[in-house]
């Protein structure tokens, strides 16, 4: 209830009071409800007054000021400078300017800015108010300021996400444009959604022609079935690398491709990268031919090829060892080359072999090498130091059997020598023949040569340079007596 009245006085004495009472329950309820609303919104409801002389005053503040600014409504009403001091320096000027513009034009006041909350955090405020000019020239604003920190953080996070997304898009496009491989994105219906520049260069179709085209239209007819099966497996969740098929380019050329493919279940997209396999296929063919040539040279050729370590032990021997020396390649493993060389030649060969410490390649003069039949073969060898080659890490020797050639060379040299001796008077025929037989025996390991002559109708041994005496006597008794 609200009561109002006027007293009546007679001779200075109050004789009666004229009054009235009014039921203000409804208004009080409404006022209390409005105050509750003001105090519970996530912000501050207030009335702000700007006087003609430029001074100002907060005429009313809801209790939300304590939560919004960390300042009670009573303190803020007594000194509104407490509020202005909270404003971020970068935003205070624009805040004051927004009030001036609203006052000048009597237009709605709006402003967003940051405050430095007493708890140490930075918070964003958004203010909205409606101005009204009073008779004395003052202007009041019934306003509300809301805390929009969460909204701003979400906007910032969204902006950063969009920026990152754009950077990723630019990066992806740059990768797709600069990649030498064909990068493609295919939808669940099997149509190209995105293709790189390399795809256009590889298949001859423009990006516009490719996008929307079913990828199966490009698959070579003989590869369609296996490509369909692979696509089904990929969309079931099986990632594939090194899948091979062939595409038919716009020019009609059939191009072999190697694919790396994965399926994104969430986006329902296939991400596929194709590499032109023509160079690799050609390299594989060249490698196959090279291997065939190697087999022809090493396995089926006439030379003996071996790989030795620095001590002369065998690491590898070509299959031609059977034809050249009668030994299987396995017979040499865990053995040393010096064990097979004629004792009279070992030191000479070792001396040349040691030059490989300073030289890349050496030619070893002919030397004798043991044959499985117990005899000796003359070999000439080229040795190459490939210790620094990671694929070999050894010394490669290439040896050729020159036994026959050396025999005829030695025979030719011997005949020339005998002919020269024949023209010199100091040599008798018997001396010449003995020299001749001695040298012949050197070329024929394990053989003895002798000459018997007929003297007075009887055969007697004449020249027997290497034949043991007891054997000569036995022959004389048994054959020529």
């Amino acid at each position: 209830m609200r009561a109002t009245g006027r007293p009546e006085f007679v001779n200075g004495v109050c004789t009666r009071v004229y009054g009235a009472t009014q039921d203000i329950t409804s208004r009080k309820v409404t006022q209390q409800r409005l105050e509750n609303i003001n105090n519970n919104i996530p912000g501050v409801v207030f009335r702000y007054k700007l006087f003609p002389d430029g001074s100002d005053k907060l005429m009313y503040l809801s209790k939300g000021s304590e939560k919004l600014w960390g300042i009670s409504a009573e303190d803020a009403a007594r000194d509104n400078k407490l509020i202005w001091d909270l404003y971020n320096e970068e935003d205070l000027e624009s805040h004051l300017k927004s009030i001036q513009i609203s006052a000048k034009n009597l237009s709605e006041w709006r402003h967003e800015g940051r405050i430095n909350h007493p708890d140490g955090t930075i918070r964003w405020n958004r203010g909205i108010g409606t101005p009204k000019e009073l008779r004395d020239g003052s202007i009041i604003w019934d306003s509300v300021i809301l805390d929009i920190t969460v909204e701003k953080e979400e906007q910032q996070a969204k902006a950063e996400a969009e920026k990152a997304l754009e950077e990723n898009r630019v990066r992806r496009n740059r990768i797709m444009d600069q990649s030498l491989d064909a990068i493609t994105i295919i939808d669940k219906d099997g149509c190209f959604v995105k293709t790189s520049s390399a795809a256009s260069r590889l298949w001859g179709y423009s990006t516009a022609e490719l996008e929307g085209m079913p990828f199966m239209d490009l698959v070579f007819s003989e590869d369609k079935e296996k490509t369909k099966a692979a696509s089904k497996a990929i969309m079931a969740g099986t990632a594939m690398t090194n899948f091979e098929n062939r595409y038919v380019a716009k020019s009609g050329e059939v191009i072999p491709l190697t694919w790396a493919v994965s399926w994104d279940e969430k986006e329902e997209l296939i991400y596929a990268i194709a590499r032109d396999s023509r160079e690799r296929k050609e390299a594989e063919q060249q490698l196959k031919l090279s291997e065939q040539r190697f087999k022809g040279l090493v396995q089926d050729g006439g030379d003996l090829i071996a790989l030795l370590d620095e001590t002369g032990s065998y690491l590898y021997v070509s299959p031609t060892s059977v034809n050249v020396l009668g030994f299987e390649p396995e017979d040499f493993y865990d053995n040393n080359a010096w064990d097979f060389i004629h004792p009279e030649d070992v030191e000479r060969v070792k001396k040349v072999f040691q030059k490989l410490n300073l030289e890349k390649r050496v030619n070893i003069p002919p030397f004798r090498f043991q044959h499985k039949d117990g005899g000796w073969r003359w070999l000439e060898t080229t040795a190459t130091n490939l210790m620094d080659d990671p694929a070999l890490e050894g010394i490669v020797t290439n040896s050729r059997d020159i036994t026959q050639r050396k025999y005829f060379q030695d025979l030719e040299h011997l005949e020339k020598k005998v002919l020269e001796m024949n023209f010199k008077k100091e040599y008798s025929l018997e001396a010449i023949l003995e020299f001749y037989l001695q040298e012949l025996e050197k070329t024929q390991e394990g053989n003895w040569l002798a000459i018997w002559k007929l003297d007075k109708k009887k055969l007697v041994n004449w020249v027997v340079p290497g034949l043991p005496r007891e054997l000569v006597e036995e022959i004389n008794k048994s054959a020529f007596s």
Side-chain angles (χ1 to χ4, degrees):
M1 298 291 288
R2 185 177 71 173
T4 58
R6 180 175 62 83
E8 181 177 301
F9 290 90
V10 176
N11 298 321
V13 178
C14 179
T15 58
R16 68 181 70 179
V17 176
Y18 298 93
T21 59
Q22 182 179 7
D23 185 351
I24 59 172
T25 302
S26 176
R27 188 171 71 180
K28 280 292 184 179
V29 169
T30 301
Q31 181 179 347
Q32 185 65 42
R33 186 179 297 124
L34 180 61
E35 187 173 342
N36 288 338
I37 292 172
N38 290 344
N39 289 333
N40 287 285
I41 65 171
V44 178
V45 176
F46 66 97
R47 171 171 283 188
Y48 172 70
K49 184 174 184 180
L50 181 63
F51 295 98
D53 61 2
S55 61
D56 58 2
K57 180 180 181 181
L58 287 171
M59 300 179 65
Y60 168 79
L61 284 95
S62 66
K63 293 183 178 181
S65 65
E66 190 159 355
K67 183 177 181 180
L68 185 68
W69 296 321
I71 299 173
S72 67
E74 294 77 10
D75 289 343
R78 282 193 296 269
D79 184 5
N80 60 10
K81 187 175 182 297
L82 296 173
I83 306 300
W84 307 145
D85 289 344
L86 295 178
Y87 270 85
N88 184 286
E89 291 182 4
E90 296 178 2
D91 297 337
L92 179 58
E93 184 179 350
S94 62
H95 170 71
L96 297 176
K97 187 175 182 180
S98 68
I99 294 174
Q100 294 171 1
I101 293 173
S102 176
K104 180 179 179 180
N105 301 322
L106 292 179
S107 57
E108 183 181 65
W109 169 73
R110 284 180 174 271
H111 182 260
E112 291 183 2
R114 293 159 293 177
I115 66 162
N116 299 310
H117 197 277
D119 65 6
T121 61
I122 296 177
R123 302 187 185 183
W124 279 89
N125 287 180
R126 176 186 292 143
I128 304 173
T130 302
K132 180 180 179 181
E133 188 174 12
L134 303 180
R135 291 180 180 179
D136 63 357
S138 299
I139 300 174
I140 58 172
W141 285 267
D142 291 316
S143 308
V144 60
I145 291 182
L146 303 175
D147 187 335
I148 59 168
T149 303
V150 173
E151 178 185 334
K152 283 292 186 180
E153 288 174 348
E154 290 175 350
Q155 289 177 355
Q156 183 177 358
K158 181 181 178 182
E160 290 175 353
E162 290 176 348
K163 180 181 179 182
L165 188 63
E166 176 63 16
E167 290 175 349
N168 287 337
R169 186 189 67 79
V170 172
R171 190 181 299 112
R172 183 194 66 190
N173 289 342
R174 186 180 298 117
I175 291 172
M176 293 189 71
D177 289 340
Q178 296 180 358
S179 173
L180 297 177
D181 296 330
I183 302 176
T184 65
I185 302 175
I186 303 169
D187 64 23
K188 62 180 180 179
D189 298 321
C191 296
F192 290 116
V193 175
K194 181 83 174 172
T195 59
S196 65
S197 300
S200 296
R201 293 193 297 269
L202 186 58
W203 302 324
Y205 293 93
S206 67
T207 300
E209 290 175 313
L210 286 172
E211 292 178 1
M213 178 189 295
F215 77 89
M216 288 298 296
D217 288 358
L218 297 179
V219 178
F220 185 54
S221 57
E222 296 179 7
D223 296 342
K224 285 186 181 292
E225 288 304 317
K226 75 170 185 178
T227 302
K228 287 179 181 178
S231 298
K232 186 176 180 180
I234 290 165
M235 295 181 71
T238 302
M240 287 195 180
T241 56
N242 297 320
F243 173 74
E244 295 187 356
N245 68 358
R246 289 166 291 181
Y247 269 26
V248 181
K250 193 172 185 178
S251 64
E253 181 183 1
V254 178
I255 301 175
L257 302 170
T258 302
W259 292 87
V261 191
S262 63
W263 164 254
D264 189 311
E265 181 68 30
K266 184 178 180 180
E267 295 185 356
E268 295 188 322
L269 293 173
I270 295 174
Y271 292 89
I273 301 175
R275 176 161 293 181
D276 186 350
S277 298
R278 284 176 292 188
E279 289 186 4
R280 181 173 63 82
K281 292 290 185 182
E282 184 177 349
E284 288 175 352
Q285 182 63 24
Q286 291 298 324
L287 178 61
K288 185 177 180 180
L289 292 174
S290 177
E291 289 175 346
Q292 290 174 348
R293 286 194 295 268
F294 177 79
K295 182 179 179 181
L297 290 171
V298 174
Q299 298 184 5
D300 303 325
D303 289 353
L304 173 64
I305 297 175
L307 181 66
L308 310 175
D309 66 15
E310 64 273 14
T311 67
S313 295
Y314 285 103
L315 302 174
Y316 167 82
V317 177
S318 67
T320 52
S321 64
V322 177
N323 297 330
V324 177
L325 298 169
F327 290 105
E328 295 289 341
E330 294 77 11
D331 295 333
F332 291 96
Y333 300 152
D334 299 324
N335 286 298
N336 195 284
W338 315 123
D339 298 334
F340 295 88
I341 297 175
H342 195 287
E344 296 179 3
D345 298 336
V346 170
E347 291 304 319
R348 175 172 57 84
V349 175
K350 278 187 177 182
K351 187 175 181 180
V352 179
F353 191 82
Q354 289 170 354
K355 292 182 179 180
L356 288 170
N357 294 326
L358 301 175
E359 301 177 23
K360 185 75 173 177
R361 181 179 290 108
V362 295
N363 293 315
I364 303 176
F367 59 93
R368 286 162 290 182
F369 201 96
Q370 187 178 356
H371 193 278
K372 191 172 184 179
D373 63 9
W376 299 93
R377 295 292 186 272
W378 282 92
L379 302 180
E380 65 177 7
T381 299
T382 298
T384 305
N385 187 346
L386 295 176
M387 296 295 294
D388 58 351
D389 187 331
L392 296 172
E393 294 184 343
I395 296 170
V396 177
T397 61
N398 190 306
S399 302
R400 180 168 298 175
D401 184 354
I402 61 165
T403 304
Q404 284 291 102
R405 189 181 77 191
K406 190 170 191 318
Y407 172 75
F408 288 112
Q409 287 176 346
D410 290 346
L411 191 59
E412 182 181 1
H413 177 74
L414 178 57
E415 289 174 350
K416 290 181 179 179
K417 180 66 175 177
V418 170
L419 187 59
E420 291 175 359
M421 293 173 66
N422 191 44
F423 285 104
K424 295 180 180 180
K425 294 180 179 180
E426 65 265 26
Y427 295 107
S428 64
L429 178 58
E430 185 176 354
I432 293 174
L433 290 175
E434 185 174 358
F435 170 78
Y436 182 62
L437 294 182
Q438 286 176 339
E439 294 301 316
L440 278 179
E441 286 177 353
K442 292 179 182 179
T443 65
Q444 302 180 35
E445 293 282 348
N447 294 324
W448 288 310
L449 301 175
I451 300 176
W452 269 259
K453 70 176 179 177
L454 185 63
D455 186 11
K456 297 179 181 181
K457 297 183 181 183
K458 184 179 180 181
L459 286 173
V460 295
N461 56 295
W462 184 23
V463 181
V464 284
L467 205 62
R469 176 56 56 184
E470 58 273 16
L471 184 57
V472 173
E473 292 176 356
E474 186 64 31
I475 293 174
N476 285 338
K477 290 178 183 179
S478 61
F480 304 117
S481 58

